[in-house]
Amino acid sequence: MSATMTGLSGDGVQAVSIGAAKPVGRLADRVFVGLLWGCGIFVLVLLGLIIAMLFHGGLPAFRAFGLDFLWTATWNPVTENFGALVMIYGTIFSAIIAVVVALPLSFGIAFFLTEIAPPVLRRPIGVAVQLLAAVPSIIYGMWGFFIISPLMAAYVQPPLIEWLGPIPVIGDLFQGPALGGGMLTAGLIMAVMILPFITAMFVETLESIPPMLKESAYGVGATTFEVYKNISVPFGRTAMVGAIMLGLGRALGETMAVTFVIGNATRLSASLFAPGATIASTIANEFPEAAQGTLKLDSLLALGFILFVISFIVLALSRYLVRSNLKS
Amino acid sequence: MKHITVLGAAIALAGSLVAGSASAADITGAGATFPAPVYQAWAVAYKEKTGTGLNYQSIGSGAGQTQIFNRTVDFGASDAPVATDKLAQQKLLQFPAVIGSVVPIVNLDGIESNKLKLTGPVLADIYLGKIKKWNDKAIADLNPGVSLPDQGIVPTYRSDGSGTTYVFATYLADVSPEWKSKVGAATSVSWPAGAGGKGNEGVAGTVKNTKGAIGYVEYIYASANSLVTVQLQNKAGKFVSPTVPAFQAAAANADWANAKDFAASMINTPGDTTWPITSATFILLPKEPKSAAQAKEVMNFFDWAFKNGDSIAEKLHYIPLPTDVADRVRAAWKSEIVADGKPVWSN
């Protein structure tokens, strides 16, 4: 620790201020470059160790259940029979709801901020959106649990269940008692949580559109909506994909807020209002009571590994989409 | 250079603070969250008396077991008793520390606390999802004169693994063969119906938010928050309200003499005034401790708590151990905890 400090604050500074002292400078430079290498390698090693630890810990579960672990919908701690399907489904479903809700909203905010908002409003709204990102996850959870869930139970879910529930196929999404929580509520809370990240990326993209493009569009008599439709959206498409994936990635791993509102039931249900579970919420719920050497703990670690793989796939997919979009 | 000196001084200071707060005599424990308030209250009083502190981390029974298996703490604490073969394998002595009860809570218009009567089998059928409405005949028959709404029942449970769930599910398995075969009992189970909330506050909050909901929480939580509890039918066929005397009756009527590892069941114990969902929470102590002195300190602490801690426990709505059970625990210390061939506990 102290050696690191010396390297950074002592020699590094000296090398800059006394440029003439070449030999010392060269040594310092080598130390500096070495440190940078260390930083880079550190991330790789850390990530590798985490993956290895999760995989190693989850291995007994994979051994016991085989690949069936991925598509078994039971989670029974009593009989020690575990499957990840309910959690995988819940994780992906709730994250998709979050992105579907957050996407149009954040594009609207971003377009408003860059095109329409008077300068007086631009800063307050921008800061407000950024502050949303600074609100701790647990606060969103409490807000969702104490404010949003009761509202959903009283005003949103009962009419939807009554009106849409009887329709075939679509009705399956609107079944069950109005508990307030559930998949949709979790998705809505997460939508608010990922809003600032997606908005920030959109704002950046929209600001990078050459003003000439938009000015010429306005010049030939295009309306605000036409500029939005024909200039901003096509131009921002690549960044949009990136933003969606970034939001999705964040929503996949969200733990605390989801645990509060999702209802925590390890049963598979198509309904938006039914209680469910995500990988992260299950780990948060079950970890403290999972004793060492039990299949339960192994299965939780295996869940962690699966979440890691899902996140990795999402990230890889976004890279691929962004790159192929850039080419075309 | 100056920075480094300051940094060094800061590190030295931090080091001395850490060392100061965890002096050699302090005992460390980790585990169950349910008894954490009473352990901490005991610790404060004990420190005033003896100068020996207790550093108790309420990290959950499972994590507490892991810590004592690895011997990273002086004692572990678990709500659910540990299996006999596991205790033998890990060379641990298990003894009860304090007793608590689990009570059902409801949210129904016009129903006040302890007005609604339920039996164990009806409660199990509600949680199995078989009784779906509050005006179901099975409930109405138990409550003549009470107007029950035509409202769906929403069973609510602890989503996090917890000793409370273990106790509640054990009770349901005891009164309902169907529950026993379909669901069973553990710190978390595969619930056939309803929704889960995290912690006592999560269950209480969900019940409060949802008309027609039923849940279960520790009595200390229900009484502190004035939640609407119900009467339950006990083994003797009598309906009892959740009160401290009813819990004490359960503790007194349990079969401690024949219980292996002190895991005496207080579920559905006999007696006219007995509350049927009661359980002890347990301490795990190494039988061949690394440090005899530390093990002795742990036993001194609990010995003091059994002798002087009753009023503190009762103030927090826990039930102290019956005196004869405490004596059995002391006898077990004397015969089981050994260092260098000699018993550590000799009082």
Side-chain angles (χ1 to χ4, degrees):
Chain A
M1 185 65 203
S2 71
T4 321
M5 296 306 292
T6 328
L8 273 179
S9 59
D11 299 354
V13 171
Q14 248 177 18
V16 173
S17 54
I18 322 167
K22 269 276 157 76
V24 180
R26 206 172 287 159
L27 179 68
D29 201 43
R30 221 175 276 161
V31 170
F32 183 61
V33 170
L35 279 173
L36 294 185
W37 267 92
C39 292
I41 300 294
F42 172 73
V43 177
L44 265 187
V45 170
L46 191 68
L47 193 71
L49 285 177
I50 291 174
I51 297 174
M53 190 277 287
L54 285 175
F55 184 72
H56 177 77
L59 203 56
F62 287 124
R63 273 212 195 103
F65 305 114
L67 275 180
D68 283 353
F69 186 72
L70 293 177
W71 41 81
T72 307
T74 15
W75 183 269
N76 192 335
V78 180
T79 56
E80 295 221 304
N81 190 5
F82 299 107
L85 184 65
V86 177
M87 294 85 187
I88 295 176
Y89 167 77
T91 304
I92 295 175
F93 193 33
S94 61
I96 288 176
I97 294 174
V99 170
V100 166
V101 174
L103 202 61
L105 203 55
S106 32
F107 206 88
I109 296 172
F111 195 72
F112 176 76
L113 281 180
T114 47
E115 293 298 318
I116 296 166
V120 207
L121 268 182
R122 207 169 285 177
R123 269 184 74 94
I125 294 179
V127 169
V129 171
Q130 281 169 9
L131 271 179
L132 281 181
V135 176
S137 174
I138 185 111
I139 303 297
Y140 278 113
M142 285 162 65
W143 174 65
F145 187 70
F146 289 114
I147 311 289
I148 302 302
S149 284
L151 287 178
M152 294 284 286
Y155 303 110
V156 180
Q157 294 177 344
L160 285 176
I161 291 169
E162 202 172 310
W163 298 335
L164 301 175
I167 304 171
V169 186
I170 300 176
D172 289 346
L173 288 172
F174 305 98
Q175 294 296 329
L179 291 168
M183 218 56 109
L184 180 66
T185 314
L188 290 180
I189 304 290
M190 282 201 290
V192 180
M193 296 179 73
I194 62 176
L195 195 73
F197 299 94
I198 303 188
T199 307
M201 279 192 80
F202 281 167
V203 168
E204 211 167 288
T205 322
L206 292 178
E207 276 175 349
S208 71
I209 298 175
M212 219 164 56
L213 269 180
K214 285 183 291 185
E215 276 160 20
S216 19
Y218 282 121
V220 297
T223 61
T224 311
F225 181 72
E226 281 165 340
V227 170
Y228 169 80
K229 201 183 96 193
N230 298 321
I231 308 283
S232 300
V233 171
F235 197 89
R237 197 173 284 152
T238 309
M240 251 168 90
V241 174
I244 292 169
M245 292 299 169
L246 184 80
L248 202 58
R250 267 200 61 88
L252 285 172
E254 179 45 48
T255 310
M256 220 46 229
V258 174
T259 310
F260 268 77
V261 294
I262 199 161
N264 304 300
T266 50
R267 298 182 298 270
L268 210 52
S269 171
S271 174
L272 285 168
F273 305 146
T278 68
I279 292 178
S281 75
T282 305
I283 296 176
N285 273 320
E286 302 270 31
F287 198 74
E289 288 297 323
Q292 206 178 33
T294 57
L295 210 47
K296 186 170 163 185
L297 185 62
D298 301 335
S299 300
L300 289 174
L301 288 167
L303 275 184
F305 181 72
I306 292 171
L307 182 60
F308 212 104
V309 172
I310 295 175
S311 304
F312 181 78
I313 292 173
V314 167
L315 202 70
L317 208 65
S318 75
R319 287 257 160 147
Y320 172 75
L321 287 174
V322 167
R323 204 165 291 166
S324 62
N325 247 325
L326 278 179
K327 269 181 198 152
S328 66
Chain B
M1 222 24 231
K2 202 175 170 188
H3 289 99
I4 300 162
T5 322
V6 173
L7 187 76
I11 290 171
L13 184 66
S16 68
L17 280 176
V18 170
S21 65
S23 69
D26 275 7
I27 46 181
T28 56
T33 47
F34 158 66
V38 68
Y39 293 167
Q40 269 142 11
W42 279 344
V44 172
Y46 187 67
K47 175 129 190 166
E48 269 174 23
K49 262 269 177 320
T50 63
T52 304
L54 163 66
N55 177 6
Y56 183 76
Q57 311 162 34
S58 61
I59 50 177
S61 301
Q65 288 174 25
T66 305
Q67 292 230 3
I68 193 63
F69 291 170
N70 295 331
R71 303 291 194 265
T72 46
V73 285
D74 294 327
F75 70 89
S78 175
D79 282 333
V82 177
T84 302
D85 55 338
K86 192 102 190 179
L87 287 172
Q89 182 202 335
Q90 298 288 345
K91 296 203 173 70
L92 291 172
L93 172 72
Q94 170 175 279
F95 64 89
V98 71
I99 293 162
S101 284
V102 177
V103 299
I105 52 170
V106 293
N107 177 358
L108 274 173
D109 283 333
I111 302 282
E112 292 159 39
S113 211
N114 301 334
K115 281 286 173 302
L116 192 72
K117 290 176 179 169
L118 294 175
T119 65
V122 166
L123 197 58
D125 281 350
I126 288 174
Y127 270 90
L128 280 167
K130 284 167 73 185
I131 296 178
K132 291 181 166 31
K133 294 266 184 182
W134 279 109
N135 59 358
D136 190 286
K137 194 171 176 308
I139 303 174
D141 284 352
L142 296 171
N143 296 282
V146 177
S147 81
L148 291 160
D150 176 25
Q151 189 157 36
I153 306 179
V154 180
T156 310
Y157 50 84
R158 285 280 291 266
S159 62
D160 49 331
S162 81
T164 314
T165 296
Y166 173 81
V167 173
F168 188 68
T170 307
Y171 170 70
L172 294 184
D174 194 74
V175 293
S176 158
E178 190 178 347
W179 184 273
K180 194 171 188 174
S181 64
K182 272 194 183 159
V183 185
T187 51
S188 62
V189 302
S190 181
W191 297 94
K198 191 164 158 49
N200 282 311
E201 61 285 359
V203 173
T206 309
V207 170
K208 204 176 139 212
N209 285 346
T210 319
K211 279 267 176 301
I214 184 166
Y216 61 90
V217 293
E218 285 140 18
Y219 174 71
I220 49 167
Y221 191 82
S223 66
N225 293 284
S226 314
L227 302 175
V228 178
T229 55
V230 305
Q231 291 187 43
L232 270 183
Q233 192 181 40
N234 62 21
K235 197 165 195 172
K238 299 278 195 300
F239 284 96
V240 283
S241 297
T243 57
V244 170
F247 308 148
Q248 280 165 337
N253 288 326
D255 185 10
W256 294 99
N258 296 314
K260 201 146 179 53
D261 304 315
F262 289 101
S265 168
M266 271 174 275
I267 298 295
N268 233 356
T269 39
D272 281 355
T273 58
T274 301
W275 178 254
I277 323 178
T278 306
S279 171
T281 179
F282 298 92
I283 297 295
L284 303 166
L285 203 55
K287 284 185 178 174
E288 292 159 17
K290 271 189 309 196
S291 154
Q294 284 300 96
K296 181 96 192 280
E297 287 295 344
V298 174
M299 289 183 276
N300 280 340
F301 173 76
F302 283 104
D303 180 56
W304 173 89
F306 293 156
K307 278 183 191 140
N308 309 295
D310 287 6
S311 63
I312 294 175
E314 276 162 3
K315 211 181 285 167
L316 295 169
H317 298 117
Y318 293 87
I319 312 304
L321 278 195
T323 333
D324 60 313
V325 181
D327 286 337
R328 280 176 204 281
V329 170
R330 291 191 187 93
W333 289 344
K334 198 163 187 172
S335 63
E336 306 263 356
I337 310 282
V338 181
D340 302 324
K342 275 179 286 188
V344 178
W345 179 258
S346 48
N347 300 34

